[in-house]
Amino acid sequence: KKMEVMKAISKAIKTHTGKPEAYIAVTITDNASLIWAGSDAPAALGTLSSIGSISIESNGSITKDVTELLEPFGLSPDRIYIYFFSICRGATSVGTRQRLPGRQLNYLHFFSGRSLN
C-alpha cells in the first residue's frame, strides 16, 4: 500500500505542476516518532521542494490530493501539514548527474506517525 500511495502522490504532483515524473521523487518515512500540538495522535508532515512550480493553485490541489490519499490510514486532514519550498530557477543548491539541473526537480518527503503498509 505504501508504494501505491507514493506512486499516486507522484502522479498528483505531475498533474498539478506539469512536471514530468522523471523529475519527481517521493519518499515516506512512516511509523516516525511524531508529536504535534502536544499530541501523539496520527499525523503527517510533508515538505515539497520544487524548481519553478510552487503556486497557490498547485499547492492547494496537491494538498487536497495528498490528504485524500492519507486519510484512509487514519490521518485526519487537520493533522496533515505540507510545507512548500520554491527553489529558484538556475538552482545552485541542487545537484544531480555531476551538474546542476536548473529547472525540473520536484521532491516530496513525508514523515508520518502512522504505518502506510
Side-chain angles (χ1 to χ4, degrees):
K1 288 191 174 198
K2 180 177 174 178
M3 191 57 63
E4 292 170 13
V5 169
M6 292 170 65
K7 288 179 180 181
I9 289 172
S10 180
K11 289 191 185 317
I13 294 169
K14 174 187 173 197
T15 298
H16 300 300
T17 65
K19 300 280 182 151
E21 279 193 280
Y23 294 99
I24 297 171
V26 176
T27 64
I28 295 177
T29 303
D30 54 352
N31 291 318
S33 298
L34 177 61
I35 293 177
W36 180 356
S39 170
D40 64 351
L45 300 175
T47 303
L48 175 64
S49 301
S50 178
I51 297 174
S53 293
I54 298 296
S55 71
I56 291 172
E57 296 80 16
S58 66
N59 296 358
S61 298
I62 291 167
T63 300
K64 179 182 179 298
D65 288 356
V66 168
T67 299
E68 289 173 357
L69 288 163
L70 295 178
E71 278 184 290
F73 297 95
L75 291 154
S76 173
D78 64 339
R79 300 219 12 114
I80 298 170
Y81 210 85
I82 304 173
Y83 298 89
F84 293 89
F85 293 99
S86 182
I87 301 172
C88 57
R89 292 187 185 273
T92 57
S93 58
V94 178
T96 183
R97 298 183 184 124
Q98 300 179 343
R99 62 186 176 84
L100 302 173
R103 67 181 186 288
Q104 291 290 337
L105 179 74
N106 290 273
Y107 175 74
L108 177 68
H109 183 86
F110 261 101
F111 290 96
S112 173
R114 193 61 129 185
S115 173
L116 300 184
N117 286 314

